[in-house]
Amino acid sequence: MKERYQSFNSPIELGTRICLMLTALNSKQSLDDLVLLDYALLYSNEFDGPDNLHPALPNHLAEIAHRREMLPKAIDFLLKRGLIRLAVKADGHYYECNHSTIEFVSCLQSPYYKKAWIRLNWINENKQRIVNTKITELAKSFT
């Protein structure tokens, strides 16, 4: 059976945002950190940041689980094309940008990506607070 890709949060869409994040942060990131940072990129207002990049749909917190499932496919897509680098350390696997990542993201000029850069600058300044946020704390903001 032929695999079908969805357009929302597809490996290509997630991969493009991962490339943006790795370039903006300019440091190695774990898979779990990338999951939460991508969520924060889209829903920055929930972390007391800029307005959301995407509209907050009901139950969008569930996207974290979906993102955790889809992100390895996106990372595999990027690794196979040389768009990111894998760093294997004693404490886990980390991903980082390389020259190809920077060349790729420099081509992204749409208004969407320009808005994403604003949020990425904010994420860079607030990364530790974001990755230390417990999902249960985010869930409380919906009640």
Side-chain angles (χ1 to χ4, degrees), residues 25-59:
L25 297 172
N26 197 27
S27 61
K28 296 174 179 70
Q29 302 299 317
S30 71
L31 176 65
D32 290 332
D33 286 352
L34 287 171
V35 168
L36 199 52
L37 292 169
D38 186 54
Y39 180 84
L41 173 62
L42 301 182
Y43 303 110
S44 49
N45 190 258
E46 292 174 22
F47 297 86
D48 298 322
D51 290 339
N52 291 344
L53 188 58
H54 288 188
L57 301 172
N59 299 320

PDB file of all heavy atoms in Angstrom, residues 25-59:
ATOM      1  N   LEU A  25      18.578  28.509  16.962  1.00  0.00           N
ATOM      2  CA  LEU A  25      19.146  28.195  18.273  1.00  0.00           C
ATOM      3  C   LEU A  25      20.644  27.941  18.206  1.00  0.00           C
ATOM      4  O   LEU A  25      21.350  28.099  19.201  1.00  0.00           O
ATOM      5  CB  LEU A  25      18.433  26.983  18.875  1.00  0.00           C
ATOM      6  CG  LEU A  25      16.943  27.186  19.150  1.00  0.00           C
ATOM      7  CD1 LEU A  25      16.295  25.871  19.552  1.00  0.00           C
ATOM      8  CD2 LEU A  25      16.730  28.249  20.210  1.00  0.00           C
ATOM      9  N   ASN A  26      21.125  27.498  17.049  1.00  0.00           N
ATOM     10  CA  ASN A  26      22.547  27.247  16.817  1.00  0.00           C
ATOM     11  C   ASN A  26      23.172  26.395  17.924  1.00  0.00           C
ATOM     12  O   ASN A  26      24.263  26.692  18.414  1.00  0.00           O
ATOM     13  CB  ASN A  26      23.309  28.559  16.640  1.00  0.00           C
ATOM     14  CG  ASN A  26      24.669  28.330  16.004  1.00  0.00           C
ATOM     15  OD1 ASN A  26      24.862  27.367  15.270  1.00  0.00           O
ATOM     16  ND2 ASN A  26      25.608  29.203  16.293  1.00  0.00           N
ATOM     17  N   SER A  27      22.441  25.358  18.342  1.00  0.00           N
ATOM     18  CA  SER A  27      22.959  24.424  19.336  1.00  0.00           C
ATOM     19  C   SER A  27      22.285  23.073  19.138  1.00  0.00           C
ATOM     20  O   SER A  27      21.239  22.978  18.506  1.00  0.00           O
ATOM     21  CB  SER A  27      22.698  24.949  20.752  1.00  0.00           C
ATOM     22  OG  SER A  27      21.321  25.103  20.984  1.00  0.00           O
ATOM     23  N   LYS A  28      22.903  22.031  19.694  1.00  0.00           N
ATOM     24  CA  LYS A  28      22.345  20.685  19.592  1.00  0.00           C
ATOM     25  C   LYS A  28      21.051  20.598  20.393  1.00  0.00           C
ATOM     26  O   LYS A  28      20.962  21.149  21.486  1.00  0.00           O
ATOM     27  CB  LYS A  28      23.347  19.663  20.131  1.00  0.00           C
ATOM     28  CG  LYS A  28      24.623  19.572  19.334  1.00  0.00           C
ATOM     29  CD  LYS A  28      25.605  18.635  20.037  1.00  0.00           C
ATOM     30  CE  LYS A  28      26.888  18.484  19.290  1.00  0.00           C
ATOM     31  NZ  LYS A  28      27.733  19.673  19.297  1.00  0.00           N
ATOM     32  N   GLN A  29      20.057  19.883  19.830  1.00  0.00           N
ATOM     33  CA  GLN A  29      18.766  19.734  20.496  1.00  0.00           C
ATOM     34  C   GLN A  29      18.354  18.268  20.481  1.00  0.00           C
ATOM     35  O   GLN A  29      18.546  17.574  19.490  1.00  0.00           O
ATOM     36  CB  GLN A  29      17.692  20.563  19.787  1.00  0.00           C
ATOM     37  CG  GLN A  29      17.997  22.041  19.689  1.00  0.00           C
ATOM     38  CD  GLN A  29      18.132  22.710  21.037  1.00  0.00           C
ATOM     39  OE1 GLN A  29      17.343  22.447  21.940  1.00  0.00           O
ATOM     40  NE2 GLN A  29      19.129  23.564  21.186  1.00  0.00           N
ATOM     41  N   SER A  30      17.753  17.821  21.567  1.00  0.00           N
ATOM     42  CA  SER A  30      17.239  16.454  21.629  1.00  0.00           C
ATOM     43  C   SER A  30      15.882  16.394  20.936  1.00  0.00           C
ATOM     44  O   SER A  30      15.231  17.420  20.707  1.00  0.00           O
ATOM     45  CB  SER A  30      17.090  16.013  23.089  1.00  0.00           C
ATOM     46  OG  SER A  30      16.004  16.698  23.692  1.00  0.00           O
ATOM     47  N   LEU A  31      15.436  15.197  20.638  1.00  0.00           N
ATOM     48  CA  LEU A  31      14.130  15.001  20.021  1.00  0.00           C
ATOM     49  C   LEU A  31      13.022  15.572  20.904  1.00  0.00           C
ATOM     50  O   LEU A  31      12.141  16.295  20.429  1.00  0.00           O
ATOM     51  CB  LEU A  31      13.889  13.510  19.751  1.00  0.00           C
ATOM     52  CG  LEU A  31      12.526  13.140  19.187  1.00  0.00           C
ATOM     53  CD1 LEU A  31      12.343  13.729  17.791  1.00  0.00           C
ATOM     54  CD2 LEU A  31      12.370  11.631  19.147  1.00  0.00           C
ATOM     55  N   ASP A  32      13.063  15.266  22.189  1.00  0.00           N
ATOM     56  CA  ASP A  32      12.012  15.748  23.087  1.00  0.00           C
ATOM     57  C   ASP A  32      12.001  17.271  23.185  1.00  0.00           C
ATOM     58  O   ASP A  32      10.933  17.879  23.241  1.00  0.00           O
ATOM     59  CB  ASP A  32      12.145  15.116  24.469  1.00  0.00           C
ATOM     60  CG  ASP A  32      11.797  13.637  24.450  1.00  0.00           C
ATOM     61  OD1 ASP A  32      10.986  13.227  23.595  1.00  0.00           O
ATOM     62  OD2 ASP A  32      12.344  12.886  25.277  1.00  0.00           O
ATOM     63  N   ASP A  33      13.173  17.887  23.209  1.00  0.00           N
ATOM     64  CA  ASP A  33      13.215  19.356  23.230  1.00  0.00           C
ATOM     65  C   ASP A  33      12.649  19.924  21.930  1.00  0.00           C
ATOM     66  O   ASP A  33      11.907  20.908  21.952  1.00  0.00           O
ATOM     67  CB  ASP A  33      14.639  19.869  23.446  1.00  0.00           C
ATOM     68  CG  ASP A  33      15.105  19.694  24.887  1.00  0.00           C
ATOM     69  OD1 ASP A  33      14.280  19.307  25.751  1.00  0.00           O
ATOM     70  OD2 ASP A  33      16.294  19.928  25.149  1.00  0.00           O
ATOM     71  N   LEU A  34      12.973  19.304  20.802  1.00  0.00           N
ATOM     72  CA  LEU A  34      12.444  19.782  19.522  1.00  0.00           C
ATOM     73  C   LEU A  34      10.920  19.680  19.468  1.00  0.00           C
ATOM     74  O   LEU A  34      10.254  20.558  18.910  1.00  0.00           O
ATOM     75  CB  LEU A  34      13.068  19.011  18.357  1.00  0.00           C
ATOM     76  CG  LEU A  34      14.522  19.348  18.047  1.00  0.00           C
ATOM     77  CD1 LEU A  34      15.089  18.374  17.019  1.00  0.00           C
ATOM     78  CD2 LEU A  34      14.665  20.784  17.572  1.00  0.00           C
ATOM     79  N   VAL A  35      10.358  18.636  20.058  1.00  0.00           N
ATOM     80  CA  VAL A  35       8.899  18.481  20.088  1.00  0.00           C
ATOM     81  C   VAL A  35       8.275  19.668  20.806  1.00  0.00           C
ATOM     82  O   VAL A  35       7.357  20.314  20.293  1.00  0.00           O
ATOM     83  CB  VAL A  35       8.495  17.154  20.767  1.00  0.00           C
ATOM     84  CG1 VAL A  35       7.009  17.122  21.071  1.00  0.00           C
ATOM     85  CG2 VAL A  35       8.884  15.964  19.903  1.00  0.00           C
ATOM     86  N   LEU A  36       8.763  19.978  21.988  1.00  0.00           N
ATOM     87  CA  LEU A  36       8.178  21.062  22.768  1.00  0.00           C
ATOM     88  C   LEU A  36       8.485  22.427  22.153  1.00  0.00           C
ATOM     89  O   LEU A  36       7.635  23.324  22.148  1.00  0.00           O
ATOM     90  CB  LEU A  36       8.660  21.001  24.216  1.00  0.00           C
ATOM     91  CG  LEU A  36       7.818  21.753  25.231  1.00  0.00           C
ATOM     92  CD1 LEU A  36       6.344  21.389  25.157  1.00  0.00           C
ATOM     93  CD2 LEU A  36       8.340  21.501  26.634  1.00  0.00           C
ATOM     94  N   LEU A  37       9.681  22.595  21.606  1.00  0.00           N
ATOM     95  CA  LEU A  37      10.025  23.868  20.977  1.00  0.00           C
ATOM     96  C   LEU A  37       9.186  24.122  19.725  1.00  0.00           C
ATOM     97  O   LEU A  37       8.797  25.265  19.460  1.00  0.00           O
ATOM     98  CB  LEU A  37      11.519  23.912  20.648  1.00  0.00           C
ATOM     99  CG  LEU A  37      12.442  23.968  21.865  1.00  0.00           C
ATOM    100  CD1 LEU A  37      13.886  23.736  21.442  1.00  0.00           C
ATOM    101  CD2 LEU A  37      12.288  25.269  22.613  1.00  0.00           C
ATOM    102  N   ASP A  38       8.892  23.067  18.976  1.00  0.00           N
ATOM    103  CA  ASP A  38       8.034  23.234  17.804  1.00  0.00           C
ATOM    104  C   ASP A  38       6.626  23.628  18.234  1.00  0.00           C
ATOM    105  O   ASP A  38       5.998  24.497  17.634  1.00  0.00           O
ATOM    106  CB  ASP A  38       8.013  21.959  16.957  1.00  0.00           C
ATOM    107  CG  ASP A  38       7.244  22.151  15.661  1.00  0.00           C
ATOM    108  OD1 ASP A  38       7.557  23.094  14.906  1.00  0.00           O
ATOM    109  OD2 ASP A  38       6.313  21.367  15.399  1.00  0.00           O
ATOM    110  N   TYR A  39       6.137  23.002  19.287  1.00  0.00           N
ATOM    111  CA  TYR A  39       4.824  23.364  19.819  1.00  0.00           C
ATOM    112  C   TYR A  39       4.843  24.837  20.266  1.00  0.00           C
ATOM    113  O   TYR A  39       3.915  25.595  19.982  1.00  0.00           O
ATOM    114  CB  TYR A  39       4.455  22.443  20.981  1.00  0.00           C
ATOM    115  CG  TYR A  39       3.109  22.743  21.584  1.00  0.00           C
ATOM    116  CD1 TYR A  39       1.949  22.220  21.024  1.00  0.00           C
ATOM    117  CD2 TYR A  39       2.995  23.551  22.705  1.00  0.00           C
ATOM    118  CE1 TYR A  39       0.700  22.498  21.566  1.00  0.00           C
ATOM    119  CE2 TYR A  39       1.752  23.840  23.256  1.00  0.00           C
ATOM    120  CZ  TYR A  39       0.612  23.311  22.680  1.00  0.00           C
ATOM    121  OH  TYR A  39      -0.615  23.602  23.225  1.00  0.00           O
ATOM    122  N   ALA A  40       5.901  25.246  20.942  1.00  0.00           N
ATOM    123  CA  ALA A  40       6.016  26.637  21.399  1.00  0.00           C
ATOM    124  C   ALA A  40       6.132  27.606  20.233  1.00  0.00           C
ATOM    125  O   ALA A  40       5.638  28.733  20.310  1.00  0.00           O
ATOM    126  CB  ALA A  40       7.218  26.783  22.327  1.00  0.00           C
ATOM    127  N   LEU A  41       6.747  27.178  19.147  1.00  0.00           N
ATOM    128  CA  LEU A  41       6.828  28.026  17.950  1.00  0.00           C
ATOM    129  C   LEU A  41       5.427  28.319  17.422  1.00  0.00           C
ATOM    130  O   LEU A  41       5.121  29.454  17.059  1.00  0.00           O
ATOM    131  CB  LEU A  41       7.678  27.345  16.876  1.00  0.00           C
ATOM    132  CG  LEU A  41       7.733  28.010  15.504  1.00  0.00           C
ATOM    133  CD1 LEU A  41       8.340  29.410  15.598  1.00  0.00           C
ATOM    134  CD2 LEU A  41       8.520  27.144  14.537  1.00  0.00           C
ATOM    135  N   LEU A  42       4.577  27.318  17.402  1.00  0.00           N
ATOM    136  CA  LEU A  42       3.230  27.486  16.864  1.00  0.00           C
ATOM    137  C   LEU A  42       2.278  28.163  17.851  1.00  0.00           C
ATOM    138  O   LEU A  42       1.402  28.928  17.450  1.00  0.00           O
ATOM    139  CB  LEU A  42       2.654  26.129  16.454  1.00  0.00           C
ATOM    140  CG  LEU A  42       3.450  25.356  15.412  1.00  0.00           C
ATOM    141  CD1 LEU A  42       2.730  24.071  15.068  1.00  0.00           C
ATOM    142  CD2 LEU A  42       3.696  26.193  14.183  1.00  0.00           C
ATOM    143  N   TYR A  43       2.450  27.868  19.137  1.00  0.00           N
ATOM    144  CA  TYR A  43       1.528  28.352  20.158  1.00  0.00           C
ATOM    145  C   TYR A  43       2.279  29.148  21.228  1.00  0.00           C
ATOM    146  O   TYR A  43       2.132  28.917  22.432  1.00  0.00           O
ATOM    147  CB  TYR A  43       0.754  27.175  20.773  1.00  0.00           C
ATOM    148  CG  TYR A  43       0.009  26.379  19.735  1.00  0.00           C
ATOM    149  CD1 TYR A  43       0.393  25.091  19.394  1.00  0.00           C
ATOM    150  CD2 TYR A  43      -1.076  26.940  19.060  1.00  0.00           C
ATOM    151  CE1 TYR A  43      -0.277  24.374  18.419  1.00  0.00           C
ATOM    152  CE2 TYR A  43      -1.753  26.233  18.085  1.00  0.00           C
ATOM    153  CZ  TYR A  43      -1.351  24.955  17.773  1.00  0.00           C
ATOM    154  OH  TYR A  43      -2.019  24.250  16.795  1.00  0.00           O
ATOM    155  N   SER A  44       3.076  30.084  20.802  1.00  0.00           N
ATOM    156  CA  SER A  44       3.951  30.858  21.688  1.00  0.00           C
ATOM    157  C   SER A  44       3.188  31.631  22.758  1.00  0.00           C
ATOM    158  O   SER A  44       3.698  31.856  23.857  1.00  0.00           O
ATOM    159  CB  SER A  44       4.833  31.798  20.877  1.00  0.00           C
ATOM    160  OG  SER A  44       4.065  32.530  19.950  1.00  0.00           O
ATOM    161  N   ASN A  45       1.974  32.010  22.476  1.00  0.00           N
ATOM    162  CA  ASN A  45       1.179  32.762  23.438  1.00  0.00           C
ATOM    163  C   ASN A  45       0.936  31.963  24.717  1.00  0.00           C
ATOM    164  O   ASN A  45       0.823  32.534  25.793  1.00  0.00           O
ATOM    165  CB  ASN A  45      -0.152  33.186  22.799  1.00  0.00           C
ATOM    166  CG  ASN A  45      -0.909  34.151  23.659  1.00  0.00           C
ATOM    167  OD1 ASN A  45      -1.863  33.751  24.322  1.00  0.00           O
ATOM    168  ND2 ASN A  45      -0.492  35.400  23.664  1.00  0.00           N
ATOM    169  N   GLU A  46       0.880  30.647  24.626  1.00  0.00           N
ATOM    170  CA  GLU A  46       0.678  29.798  25.800  1.00  0.00           C
ATOM    171  C   GLU A  46       1.883  29.794  26.738  1.00  0.00           C
ATOM    172  O   GLU A  46       1.785  29.357  27.874  1.00  0.00           O
ATOM    173  CB  GLU A  46       0.354  28.371  25.378  1.00  0.00           C
ATOM    174  CG  GLU A  46      -0.990  28.285  24.707  1.00  0.00           C
ATOM    175  CD  GLU A  46      -1.284  26.921  24.158  1.00  0.00           C
ATOM    176  OE1 GLU A  46      -0.683  25.923  24.623  1.00  0.00           O
ATOM    177  OE2 GLU A  46      -2.126  26.850  23.253  1.00  0.00           O
ATOM    178  N   PHE A  47       3.014  30.292  26.250  1.00  0.00           N
ATOM    179  CA  PHE A  47       4.234  30.384  27.046  1.00  0.00           C
ATOM    180  C   PHE A  47       4.541  31.856  27.370  1.00  0.00           C
ATOM    181  O   PHE A  47       5.681  32.217  27.616  1.00  0.00           O
ATOM    182  CB  PHE A  47       5.407  29.763  26.282  1.00  0.00           C
ATOM    183  CG  PHE A  47       5.252  28.295  26.019  1.00  0.00           C
ATOM    184  CD1 PHE A  47       4.567  27.842  24.898  1.00  0.00           C
ATOM    185  CD2 PHE A  47       5.790  27.355  26.889  1.00  0.00           C
ATOM    186  CE1 PHE A  47       4.425  26.485  24.641  1.00  0.00           C
ATOM    187  CE2 PHE A  47       5.649  25.994  26.640  1.00  0.00           C
ATOM    188  CZ  PHE A  47       4.961  25.560  25.516  1.00  0.00           C
ATOM    189  N   ASP A  48       3.488  32.680  27.313  1.00  0.00           N
ATOM    190  CA  ASP A  48       3.613  34.135  27.538  1.00  0.00           C
ATOM    191  C   ASP A  48       4.541  34.794  26.530  1.00  0.00           C
ATOM    192  O   ASP A  48       5.270  35.729  26.861  1.00  0.00           O
ATOM    193  CB  ASP A  48       4.077  34.418  28.975  1.00  0.00           C
ATOM    194  CG  ASP A  48       3.087  33.914  30.000  1.00  0.00           C
ATOM    195  OD1 ASP A  48       1.871  34.031  29.755  1.00  0.00           O
ATOM    196  OD2 ASP A  48       3.528  33.383  31.038  1.00  0.00           O
ATOM    197  N   GLY A  49       4.480  34.301  25.298  1.00  0.00           N
ATOM    198  CA  GLY A  49       5.283  34.866  24.218  1.00  0.00           C
ATOM    199  C   GLY A  49       4.432  35.640  23.234  1.00  0.00           C
ATOM    200  O   GLY A  49       3.305  36.040  23.554  1.00  0.00           O
ATOM    201  N   PRO A  50       4.935  35.823  22.028  1.00  0.00           N
ATOM    202  CA  PRO A  50       4.185  36.543  20.992  1.00  0.00           C
ATOM    203  C   PRO A  50       2.890  35.815  20.615  1.00  0.00           C
ATOM    204  O   PRO A  50       2.672  34.681  21.020  1.00  0.00           O
ATOM    205  CB  PRO A  50       5.146  36.563  19.792  1.00  0.00           C
ATOM    206  CG  PRO A  50       6.428  35.997  20.252  1.00  0.00           C
ATOM    207  CD  PRO A  50       6.220  35.344  21.571  1.00  0.00           C
ATOM    208  N   ASP A  51       2.070  36.470  19.822  1.00  0.00           N
ATOM    209  CA  ASP A  51       0.844  35.840  19.335  1.00  0.00           C
ATOM    210  C   ASP A  51       1.182  34.521  18.651  1.00  0.00           C
ATOM    211  O   ASP A  51       2.250  34.367  18.054  1.00  0.00           O
ATOM    212  CB  ASP A  51       0.123  36.752  18.340  1.00  0.00           C
ATOM    213  CG  ASP A  51      -0.482  37.965  19.012  1.00  0.00           C
ATOM    214  OD1 ASP A  51      -0.696  37.933  20.240  1.00  0.00           O
ATOM    215  OD2 ASP A  51      -0.731  38.951  18.297  1.00  0.00           O
ATOM    216  N   ASN A  52       0.242  33.582  18.719  1.00  0.00           N
ATOM    217  CA  ASN A  52       0.430  32.272  18.101  1.00  0.00           C
ATOM    218  C   ASN A  52       0.667  32.401  16.597  1.00  0.00           C
ATOM    219  O   ASN A  52       0.063  33.248  15.944  1.00  0.00           O
ATOM    220  CB  ASN A  52      -0.792  31.389  18.318  1.00  0.00           C
ATOM    221  CG  ASN A  52      -0.962  30.969  19.762  1.00  0.00           C
ATOM    222  OD1 ASN A  52      -0.051  31.071  20.575  1.00  0.00           O
ATOM    223  ND2 ASN A  52      -2.146  30.497  20.090  1.00  0.00           N
ATOM    224  N   LEU A  53       1.498  31.525  16.079  1.00  0.00           N
ATOM    225  CA  LEU A  53       1.726  31.442  14.641  1.00  0.00           C
ATOM    226  C   LEU A  53       0.551  30.733  13.963  1.00  0.00           C
ATOM    227  O   LEU A  53       0.159  31.085  12.864  1.00  0.00           O
ATOM    228  CB  LEU A  53       3.038  30.698  14.354  1.00  0.00           C
ATOM    229  CG  LEU A  53       3.546  30.666  12.933  1.00  0.00           C
ATOM    230  CD1 LEU A  53       3.761  32.085  12.391  1.00  0.00           C
ATOM    231  CD2 LEU A  53       4.852  29.876  12.850  1.00  0.00           C
ATOM    232  N   HIS A  54       0.001  29.722  14.621  1.00  0.00           N
ATOM    233  CA  HIS A  54      -1.175  28.994  14.139  1.00  0.00           C
ATOM    234  C   HIS A  54      -2.356  29.289  15.058  1.00  0.00           C
ATOM    235  O   HIS A  54      -2.164  29.510  16.255  1.00  0.00           O
ATOM    236  CB  HIS A  54      -0.925  27.484  14.151  1.00  0.00           C
ATOM    237  CG  HIS A  54       0.005  27.023  13.090  1.00  0.00           C
ATOM    238  ND1 HIS A  54       0.220  25.685  12.857  1.00  0.00           N
ATOM    239  CD2 HIS A  54       0.786  27.683  12.199  1.00  0.00           C
ATOM    240  CE1 HIS A  54       1.095  25.555  11.860  1.00  0.00           C
ATOM    241  NE2 HIS A  54       1.456  26.752  11.465  1.00  0.00           N
ATOM    242  N   PRO A  55      -3.565  29.247  14.531  1.00  0.00           N
ATOM    243  CA  PRO A  55      -4.727  29.427  15.402  1.00  0.00           C
ATOM    244  C   PRO A  55      -4.841  28.266  16.383  1.00  0.00           C
ATOM    245  O   PRO A  55      -4.557  27.119  16.033  1.00  0.00           O
ATOM    246  CB  PRO A  55      -5.911  29.455  14.440  1.00  0.00           C
ATOM    247  CG  PRO A  55      -5.417  28.958  13.139  1.00  0.00           C
ATOM    248  CD  PRO A  55      -3.932  29.058  13.126  1.00  0.00           C
ATOM    249  N   ALA A  56      -5.217  28.579  17.606  1.00  0.00           N
ATOM    250  CA  ALA A  56      -5.352  27.558  18.644  1.00  0.00           C
ATOM    251  C   ALA A  56      -6.695  26.857  18.493  1.00  0.00           C
ATOM    252  O   ALA A  56      -7.724  27.386  18.866  1.00  0.00           O
ATOM    253  CB  ALA A  56      -5.229  28.181  20.018  1.00  0.00           C
ATOM    254  N   LEU A  57      -6.670  25.673  17.926  1.00  0.00           N
ATOM    255  CA  LEU A  57      -7.883  24.868  17.756  1.00  0.00           C
ATOM    256  C   LEU A  57      -8.195  24.143  19.062  1.00  0.00           C
ATOM    257  O   LEU A  57      -7.302  23.936  19.889  1.00  0.00           O
ATOM    258  CB  LEU A  57      -7.674  23.851  16.634  1.00  0.00           C
ATOM    259  CG  LEU A  57      -7.332  24.451  15.266  1.00  0.00           C
ATOM    260  CD1 LEU A  57      -6.945  23.351  14.292  1.00  0.00           C
ATOM    261  CD2 LEU A  57      -8.486  25.272  14.741  1.00  0.00           C
ATOM    262  N   PRO A  58      -9.434  23.736  19.261  1.00  0.00           N
ATOM    263  CA  PRO A  58      -9.751  22.963  20.469  1.00  0.00           C
ATOM    264  C   PRO A  58      -8.865  21.715  20.546  1.00  0.00           C
ATOM    265  O   PRO A  58      -8.589  21.068  19.543  1.00  0.00           O
ATOM    266  CB  PRO A  58     -11.226  22.578  20.275  1.00  0.00           C
ATOM    267  CG  PRO A  58     -11.762  23.581  19.311  1.00  0.00           C
ATOM    268  CD  PRO A  58     -10.607  23.954  18.413  1.00  0.00           C
ATOM    269  N   ASN A  59      -8.425  21.408  21.721  1.00  0.00           N
ATOM    270  CA  ASN A  59      -7.597  20.222  21.982  1.00  0.00           C
ATOM    271  C   ASN A  59      -6.262  20.228  21.247  1.00  0.00           C
ATOM    272  O   ASN A  59      -5.691  19.169  20.999  1.00  0.00           O
ATOM    273  CB  ASN A  59      -8.375  18.938  21.665  1.00  0.00           C
ATOM    274  CG  ASN A  59      -9.604  18.803  22.508  1.00  0.00           C
ATOM    275  OD1 ASN A  59      -9.586  19.109  23.696  1.00  0.00           O
ATOM    276  ND2 ASN A  59     -10.688  18.366  21.902  1.00  0.00           N
TER     277      ASN A  59
END
